[in-house]
Amino acid sequence: MNIRRATADDLFGVQATNLQNLPENYLMKFWMYHAMTWPQISFVAEDHKGRIVGYVLAKIDEPEDTDNGAKKAEVHGHVNSISVLRSYRRLGLARKLMLLSQEAMVSVYKASFVSLHVRKSNMAAIALYRDALGFRVAKVEEKYYGDGEDALSMRLDLSP
Ligand SMILES: CC(C)(COP(=O)(O)OP(=O)(O)OC[C@H]1O[C@@H](n2cnc3c(N)ncnc32)[C@H](O)[C@@H]1OP(=O)(O)O)[C@@H](O)C(=O)NCCC(=O)NCCS
């Protein structure tokens, strides 16, 4: 198993993995935009034949300028999508992918925290974020998903 930064060549494999694992799917331009704009913070896991078996795709939210010139928010990372193929689960791949992305968010962009959304019924992902990585629930966003399910908005402080 090899875990490394995602490149543009990986994106069809990433998209195929996403389609197998999650109901939230995206057009290729979405994957491409993220990989091109923030190339340091998305990672893939590949098997011995080079097939993508897991990925994390992340972005950076930059502070916006307010009218009085102050910055409105801190620079932070946001995990858009993560998944691991079923037969490769519980091997620590998702945890490793998340940790690599978080490290790069800090070292490259000086991100002060990382956020994400997760379905409130997704016990495996919640256990990963809360128990294995230390995220906390910042708020519940009602009917966030297309089918009406609520999302937990979770956060992890990345400051030293
Ligand atoms: C959630 C998901 C990414 C986890 O991937 P994974 O590679 O199996 O996770 P890891 O092996 O790194 O797990 C690390 C820890 O997370 C927790 N965890 C992961 N899966 C779990 C499960 N099914 N039940 C309970 N805890 C779980 C455990 O604490 C685990 O540590 P342990 O194995 O030592 O007990 C994977 O189940 C998946 O792809 N699910 C479908 C897509 C999805 O839901 N993505 C998240 C959308 S927000």
Side-chain angles (χ1 to χ4, degrees):
M1 204 66 62
N2 182 27
I3 298 189
R4 57 169 176 75
R5 272 200 182 122
T7 69
D9 290 341
D10 298 318
L11 295 180
F12 286 105
V14 167
Q15 190 181 40
T17 305
N18 168 263
L19 281 166
Q20 281 192 50
N21 287 329
L22 281 165
E24 287 74 41
N25 309 128
Y26 309 98
L27 297 174
M28 184 48 69
K29 67 180 179 186
F30 173 90
W31 301 106
M32 193 62 87
Y33 174 71
H34 285 73
M36 297 293 101
T37 313
W38 304 282
Q40 308 91 342
I41 58 174
S42 291
F43 289 81
V44 290
E46 62 184 0
D47 70 6
H48 65 289
K49 289 188 173 167
R51 287 179 300 217
I52 304 298
V53 299
Y55 67 86
V56 60
L57 184 92
K59 67 173 183 169
I60 294 291
D61 280 335
E62 303 280 356
E64 293 163 25
D65 287 323
T66 58
D67 290 344
N68 64 9
K71 295 282 184 193
K72 212 163 80 181
E74 300 161 277
V75 177
H76 69 276
H78 185 83
V79 175
N80 279 105
S81 187
I82 178 170
S83 72
V84 171
L85 289 182
R86 201 168 284 277
S87 46
Y88 292 85
R89 290 186 189 163
R90 295 311 281 270
L91 298 174
L93 291 180
R95 183 171 176 277
K96 183 77 183 164
L97 288 163
M98 286 289 293
L99 288 174
L100 287 169
S101 180
Q102 288 167 202
E103 283 166 21
M105 287 172 186
V106 173
S107 62
V108 179
Y109 296 100
K110 304 201 176 2
S112 56
F113 66 92
V114 54
S115 60
L116 53 81
H117 291 101
V118 58
R119 286 176 180 269
K120 77 174 185 190
S121 65
N122 192 343
M123 292 309 168
I126 292 169
L128 165 70
Y129 303 138
R130 185 193 53 207
D131 304 337
L133 294 166
F135 278 71
R136 65 179 174 80
V137 177
K139 61 180 168 182
V140 178
E141 297 191 27
E142 287 186 10
K143 299 189 180 7
Y144 176 85
Y145 291 98
D147 60 5
E149 183 168 351
D150 297 347
L152 305 185
S153 168
M154 301 187 84
R155 270 191 188 206
L156 176 69
D157 190 358
L158 296 176
S159 51

